Amino acid sequence: MAKGNVQLLGSWVSPYSNRVQMVLNLKSVDYEFIEENFYSNKSERLLKANPVHKKIPVLIHDEKPICESLVIIQYIDDVWTENGPSILPSDPYDRAIARFWAAYIDDKWFPCIWVILLSDGADAKKTAALEEFNKGLALLEDAFIKCSKGQKFFGGDKIGYLDIALGCFLGLVRLIQKMDNISLIDESKSPNLFKWAQHFSDDDAIKVVIPETEKLLEFAKVFVAQVKASGINK
Amino acid sequence: MAKGNVQLLGSWVSPYSNRVQMVLNLKSVDYEFIEENFYSNKSERLLKANPVHKKIPVLIHDEKPICESLVIIQYIDDVWTENGPSILPSDPYDRAIARFWAAYIDDKWFPCIWVILLSDGADAKKTAALEEFNKGLALLEDAFIKCSKGQKFFGGDKIGYLDIALGCFLGLVRLIQKMDNISLIDESKSPNLFKWAQHFSDDDAIKVVIPETEKLLEFAKVFVAQVKASGINK
């Protein structure tokens, strides 16, 4: 449903950008996707829209920019209230728990993925990151059991805020599984998250957003080499 | 007004704990304050209430723990809806802007305060942190002009989410001003934030929470020495 002019400055490879695309799709919001170069040679449009962080994603709604993916998806939920149920749980405590885990994922869990992706071979840094990643996964497996209350998603019978906060990283998780020939979300260790990942990826609003692993692999070969050459991951 | 049993695991010196106390006071919520040792010898009660981060503040409402200060203050706002107006702006865009700056303060601005506090003399690290701190202050001065719309607070005519997110650090700012004999929030450079800090500190719900500078100074002498001795700030 149209409600003003909506543009998203993003990138198909960015999980944070994917996060916003997923919520726009779930809420059936029409928008123009503007692919940005997120790593170098950033556009004037992006620098003007997000002068503080100079990062995607930026949602531009009626010419007003909103930055930071979790802030953006909350904004979409606040504005398009008529386009389906809220992505946040209706109970204040459940809402707090969803927000807590979303912050945990961004602050503690995702940085491990980044280290794993950029590490060469099985060095100590990578081993430590894998350990932290798995610790986080065990916490999230437990959180899923509590939040989902026996249903398919963290949000219960429908995809919600925490599903999106975590699920946007599935593309990168699959990329690492492919690159390193390992199983990160393993059916035996994380049976609930394993099933959740399948249900989540099968949703019509989601599956068009998660990058295909082969396409991501092609991109990653060039990108990871660039980052390593720049020394930014040291 | 009573609405179940409310306890706050916190510390009088912690800005994040102060943040929660401020909102509980603004909302006139009765609560029991439980002083915790936030740095070492953490209590079993704290470790059980926040097993993921093992940190204060933790709000315990009817025996259910809520962690992370921004999550907690949002929770208080969501639960005690009858205890005065919401701390968040009513307009979704203004709400997004308040959330954006609160995240900026925690992720980018506060870490500078920490470095300034723990640095010895005027080393390069401290100089860089002071520069970042001042850059942030200039951004927040500009944000204040936009958010306050000519009124006393970021939240307009009343103290709101962003006032609390920033104002909880005033105790530490004054401590550094005292310790280093410098002016951090300067009337000539940040005239709006200078006035805002006065208005904010004068509020009855706030002034009982911001730690007195002299008392904080006594604490800081011991604490900063401990942290430096531990090598954690290297």
Side-chain angles (χ1 to χ4, degrees):
Chain A
M1 277 179 267
K3 194 168 185 171
N5 184 20
V6 182
Q7 296 171 308
L8 176 62
L9 311 187
S11 165
W12 68 274
V13 291
S14 158
Y16 297 110
S17 175
N18 294 163
R19 196 178 259 180
V20 179
Q21 291 170 276
M22 288 169 181
V23 178
L24 288 168
N25 287 354
L26 279 172
K27 290 270 186 179
S28 308
V29 175
D30 290 330
Y31 67 102
E32 180 191 358
F33 186 76
I34 300 173
E35 184 74 29
E36 291 279 344
N37 192 342
F38 70 95
Y39 183 59
S40 56
N41 300 320
K42 294 179 181 181
S43 74
E44 276 305 310
R45 182 174 47 211
L46 174 59
L47 299 177
K48 196 181 154 200
N50 188 357
V52 176
H53 300 300
K54 304 176 177 65
K55 281 182 181 170
I56 56 159
V58 182
L59 188 80
I60 303 181
H61 183 205
D62 286 340
E63 297 178 19
K64 290 190 288 188
I66 303 113
C67 308
E68 298 284 75
S69 67
L70 290 179
V71 174
I72 298 172
I73 66 172
Q74 171 84 66
Y75 174 80
I76 296 167
D77 201 43
D78 285 351
V79 170
W80 283 273
T81 50
E82 293 154 20
N83 296 27
S86 170
I87 53 170
L88 280 157
S90 55
D91 177 76
Y93 187 75
D94 293 342
R95 217 148 54 225
I97 296 300
R99 289 190 168 117
F100 171 83
W101 286 114
Y104 170 81
I105 288 163
D106 281 6
D107 297 344
K108 305 282 178 193
W109 191 75
F110 173 66
C112 301
I113 295 187
W114 196 237
V115 173
I116 297 166
L117 191 65
L118 296 179
S119 295
D120 282 316
D123 59 8
K125 213 168 149 189
K126 184 169 186 168
T127 307
L130 267 167
E131 202 175 302
E132 277 307 306
F133 177 91
N134 285 325
K135 265 191 207 169
L137 215 58
L139 292 170
L140 291 164
E141 173 80 6
D142 189 48
F144 180 85
I145 294 166
K146 288 175 186 154
C147 293
S148 65
K149 295 165 186 166
Q151 304 216 48
K152 278 185 187 174
F153 300 110
F154 283 94
D157 60 353
K158 60 179 176 53
I159 290 173
Y161 184 80
L162 184 48
D163 294 286
I164 300 284
L166 181 62
C168 70
F169 295 111
L170 283 176
L172 285 186
V173 166
R174 287 174 189 153
L175 171 67
I176 294 170
Q177 293 188 147
K178 181 93 181 176
M179 285 170 92
D180 291 1
N181 197 25
I182 50 171
S183 175
L184 288 177
I185 302 184
D186 191 80
E187 192 167 7
S188 61
K189 288 184 198 154
S190 316
N192 286 287
L193 286 183
F194 184 84
K195 264 187 238 157
W196 162 82
Q198 286 179 318
H199 290 310
F200 182 77
S201 308
D202 282 347
D203 188 275
D204 287 340
I206 303 301
K207 66 182 170 197
V208 292
V209 180
I210 298 179
E212 287 170 27
T213 309
E214 286 301 328
K215 206 177 153 197
L216 210 47
L217 188 61
E218 285 308 303
F219 177 87
K221 281 178 189 164
V222 179
F223 175 71
V224 170
Q226 272 183 349
V227 174
K228 283 180 182 168
S230 75
I232 208 169
N233 63 320
K234 297 296 173 193
Chain B
M1 277 178 266
K3 193 165 186 173
N5 184 21
V6 182
Q7 297 172 308
L8 176 62
L9 311 187
S11 166
W12 67 275
V13 292
S14 157
Y16 297 109
S17 176
N18 295 163
R19 196 177 259 179
V20 179
Q21 292 171 274
M22 288 170 181
V23 178
L24 288 167
N25 288 354
L26 279 173
K27 290 271 186 177
S28 308
V29 176
D30 290 330
Y31 68 101
E32 179 190 359
F33 186 76
I34 299 173
E35 184 75 29
E36 292 279 343
N37 192 342
F38 70 95
Y39 183 58
S40 55
N41 300 320
K42 294 179 181 181
S43 75
E44 277 304 310
R45 181 175 46 211
L46 175 59
L47 299 178
K48 196 181 155 203
N50 188 359
V52 176
H53 299 300
K54 304 174 177 65
K55 282 184 182 170
I56 57 161
V58 182
L59 188 81
I60 303 181
H61 184 207
D62 286 338
E63 297 179 21
K64 290 189 289 188
I66 302 112
C67 308
E68 298 284 77
S69 67
L70 290 181
V71 174
I72 298 172
I73 66 171
Q74 171 86 67
Y75 175 80
I76 296 167
D77 201 44
D78 285 351
V79 170
W80 284 272
T81 50
E82 291 154 21
N83 296 27
S86 169
I87 54 171
L88 280 157
S90 56
D91 176 76
Y93 187 75
D94 293 343
R95 217 146 58 223
I97 295 300
R99 289 191 169 116
F100 171 83
W101 286 114
Y104 170 82
I105 288 163
D106 281 7
D107 297 344
K108 305 283 178 190
W109 192 75
F110 173 67
C112 302
I113 295 186
W114 196 237
V115 172
I116 297 167
L117 191 66
L118 296 179
S119 295
D120 283 315
D123 60 7
K125 212 168 148 190
K126 184 169 186 168
T127 307
L130 267 167
E131 202 174 304
E132 278 306 306
F133 176 92
N134 285 325
K135 264 190 207 171
L137 215 57
L139 291 171
L140 290 164
E141 173 80 4
D142 188 47
F144 180 84
I145 295 167
K146 288 176 186 155
C147 293
S148 65
K149 295 165 187 167
Q151 304 216 48
K152 277 185 186 174
F153 300 110
F154 282 95
D157 60 352
K158 59 182 176 53
I159 289 174
Y161 184 81
L162 185 49
D163 294 286
I164 301 283
L166 181 62
C168 69
F169 296 112
L170 283 176
L172 285 187
V173 165
R174 286 173 189 153
L175 171 67
I176 295 170
Q177 293 187 148
K178 181 95 180 173
M179 285 170 92
D180 291 0
N181 196 26
I182 50 171
S183 176
L184 288 177
I185 301 185
D186 192 79
E187 192 168 7
S188 60
K189 287 184 199 154
S190 316
N192 286 287
L193 286 183
F194 184 83
K195 263 187 238 160
W196 162 81
Q198 287 179 319
H199 291 309
F200 182 77
S201 309
D202 284 346
D203 187 275
D204 287 340
I206 304 300
K207 66 184 172 197
V208 292
V209 180
I210 299 179
E212 287 170 27
T213 310
E214 286 301 328
K215 205 177 153 198
L216 210 48
L217 189 60
E218 284 310 303
F219 177 87
K221 280 177 190 165
V222 179
F223 175 71
V224 171
Q226 271 181 349
V227 174
K228 283 179 183 171
S230 75
I232 208 170
N233 63 322
K234 297 297 176 198

